[in-house]
C-alpha cells in the first residue's frame, strides 16, 4: 500500500464525535457561549457598552460632518439660472445693457 492508501484507510476507520444532524446546533451553542464569556469578562471599548458607545459616537460624528458639508454646499450654491427671469445674467437685455 502507498502512503495515500494508508491515510485513506485511517480516515475511513475513524469514529465520528457525534451525529452530523446536530452539528449546526453545536456550533451555535459554542458561539453563544463564547460571546457570553467575552462580553461578561471585558470592559471599556471591548465590552458591550463600550462598543455601543463607540458606535454612537461614530454615528454622531458622521452626522455632524454631513450637516456641516451640506450647509457649506447649500451656502455657496448659486441661484438657478432661468432664461425667463428678469434678473438673469444671460438674458439678452442684460447682456446688451451691460448689466450685472
Amino acid at each position: 500500500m502507498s502512503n495515500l492508501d494508508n491515510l485513506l484507510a485511517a480516515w475511513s476507520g475513524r469514529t465520528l464525535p457525534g451525529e452530523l444532524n446536530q452539528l449546526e446546533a453545536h456550533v451555535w451553542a459554542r458561539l453563544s457561549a463564547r460571546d457570553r464569556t467575552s462580553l461578561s469578562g471585558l470592559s471599556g471599548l471591548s465590552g458591550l457598552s463600550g462598543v455601543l458607545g463607540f458606535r454612537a459616537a461614530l454615528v454622531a460624528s458622521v452626522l455632524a460632518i454631513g450637516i456641516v458639508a451640506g450647509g457649506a454646499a447649500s451656502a455657496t450654491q448659486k441661484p438657478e439660472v432661468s432664461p425667463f427671469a428678469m434678473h438673469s445674467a444671460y438674458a439678452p437685455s442684460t447682456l446688451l445693457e451691460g448689466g450685472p
Side-chain angles (χ1 to χ4, degrees):
M1 287 179 116
S2 68
N3 191 22
L4 180 61
D5 291 332
N6 291 333
L7 290 173
L8 290 175
W11 183 262
S12 66
R14 70 182 172 86
T15 59
L16 296 176
E19 292 186 29
L20 292 178
N21 61 357
Q22 297 297 318
L23 180 65
E24 184 178 3
H26 291 299
V27 168
W28 283 113
R30 286 184 61 190
L31 286 175
S32 65
R34 185 177 66 179
D35 288 342
R36 280 193 304 266
T37 58
S38 68
L39 290 177
S40 65
L42 298 175
S43 63
L45 286 179
S46 299
L48 182 60
S49 63
V51 170
L52 291 179
F54 176 73
R55 288 182 182 171
L58 182 65
V59 167
S61 64
V62 168
L63 188 60
I65 291 171
I67 289 171
V68 168
S74 67
T76 59
Q77 185 177 10
K78 294 183 180 179
E80 183 178 332
V81 177
S82 173
F84 303 109
M86 295 300 290
H87 61 280
S88 178
Y90 297 114
S93 61
T94 309
L95 291 174
L96 290 173
E97 291 177 7

